[in-house]
Amino acid sequence: MDTTSLRGTEAPVALRLNDKAPGFTARSTAGEVSLSSYHGRWLLFFSHPADFTSVCTSEFIALSRAQEKFGRLNCDLLGLSVDSLYSHVAWLRDIERSFGVKVTFPLIEDSSMVIARAYGMLDASSENSGTVRATYVIDPDGFIRAIVWYPMNVGRSVEELLRLVEALQTSQRECALTPEGWHPGDALVEPAAVSMEDAAQAADGQSWYYRERRA
């Protein structure tokens, strides 16, 4: 694993929205992968606590089944855990054999926990090296646009992650906001007016701070 860009990262860090995602090169079930190779595409980068566990298996099955949907959003999938590459390969082969689902997106080996620490994926209160269910949506320029954490005992919602990626893309493309529960095709909302002049431009009967707009 090339950890040049992660030198000096000894403890979990607190990455924030719009931070540049820490670069890395590592071994994976699809060969060597680098964060830089995803430049120009969206990336859903996520960690899981351990191979051969029930909740993680359910997530990988769901993500694999949704991979084509993410692909239509120009979004790749990239997983990580601190288990060895050999464990990853054995687990993914067993998923295919037991459930008929072939996992084709890369799963990174991070036995040294260098990447997990750089992304703050290790729970400081944990009694072992298992990573939390951390998910980072990274944009085509390599910036973190969303961070979602689940505890080890609760599985993620793949449908919500799909919605999240599409909401981020739509909001950026349309220069608008996505309200609660937004789904593709729903109305967007304009940014709230920030001056008296802007507020005065609202149509009669329309709220100056909540103005809908069709995408």
Side-chain angles (χ1 to χ4, degrees), residues 69-83:
K69 294 180 181 179
F70 281 103
R72 289 198 290 268
L73 296 175
N74 192 40
C75 182
D76 291 320
L77 304 176
L78 180 62
L80 173 147
S81 89
V82 299
D83 289 322

Side-chain angles (χ1 to χ4, degrees), residues 6 13-14 18 36 42-43 58 66 71 85 88 128 133 143 149 160 162 173 175 201 206 208 214:
L6 303 180
V13 296
N18 300 315
S36 60
W42 289 76
L43 177 66
S58 71
L85 184 60
H88 288 347
N128 56 50
R133 300 183 194 282
F143 290 92
W149 274 34
E160 170 57 19
L162 273 167
R173 183 180 65 249
C175 298
Q201 293 178 5
Q206 184 183 50
W208 62 268
R214 288 290 167 183

Side-chain angles (χ1 to χ4, degrees), residues 31-51:
E32 187 175 271
V33 296
S34 298
L35 182 65
S36 60
S37 65
Y38 293 96
H39 186 79
R41 293 181 60 81
W42 289 76
L43 177 66
L44 192 78
F45 181 38
F46 59 94
S47 60
H48 69 277
D51 298 344

Side-chain angles (χ1 to χ4, degrees), residues 33-118:
V33 296
S34 298
L35 182 65
S36 60
S37 65
Y38 293 96
H39 186 79
R41 293 181 60 81
W42 289 76
L43 177 66
L44 192 78
F45 181 38
F46 59 94
S47 60
H48 69 277
D51 298 344
F52 294 102
T53 55
S54 56
V55 177
C56 297
T57 298
S58 71
E59 290 183 332
F60 270 65
I61 290 173
L63 284 163
S64 294
R65 288 173 173 166
Q67 187 171 1
E68 186 175 337
K69 294 180 181 179
F70 281 103
R72 289 198 290 268
L73 296 175
N74 192 40
C75 182
D76 291 320
L77 304 176
L78 180 62
L80 173 147
S81 89
V82 299
D83 289 322
S84 71
L85 184 60
Y86 304 105
S87 174
H88 288 347
V89 170
W91 180 43
L92 299 189
R93 288 190 64 187
D94 195 68
I95 288 177
E96 183 176 8
R97 181 168 52 249
S98 300
F99 302 97
V101 175
K102 186 172 184 178
V103 178
T104 60
F105 57 82
L107 177 53
I108 289 174
E109 169 192 59
D110 189 30
S111 303
S112 65
M113 298 179 284
V114 174
I115 301 173
R117 285 195 177 100

Side-chain angles (χ1 to χ4, degrees), residues 111-184:
S111 303
S112 65
M113 298 179 284
V114 174
I115 301 173
R117 285 195 177 100
Y119 278 80
M121 293 171 166
L122 292 170
D123 185 351
S125 65
S126 176
E127 296 179 355
N128 56 50
S129 61
T131 51
V132 296
R133 300 183 194 282
T135 306
Y136 297 85
V137 181
I138 302 173
D139 72 16
D141 294 318
F143 290 92
I144 296 172
R145 299 290 300 280
I147 301 173
V148 183
W149 274 34
Y150 280 68
M152 294 184 182
N153 60 323
V154 176
R156 283 168 279 220
S157 167
V158 173
E159 285 301 314
E160 170 57 19
L161 294 176
L162 273 167
R163 190 193 77 88
L164 173 60
V165 172
E166 189 151 11
L168 287 167
Q169 294 179 354
T170 302
S171 178
Q172 177 175 292
R173 183 180 65 249
E174 302 295 334
C175 298
L177 313 176
T178 58
E180 184 280 328
W182 178 89
H183 283 87

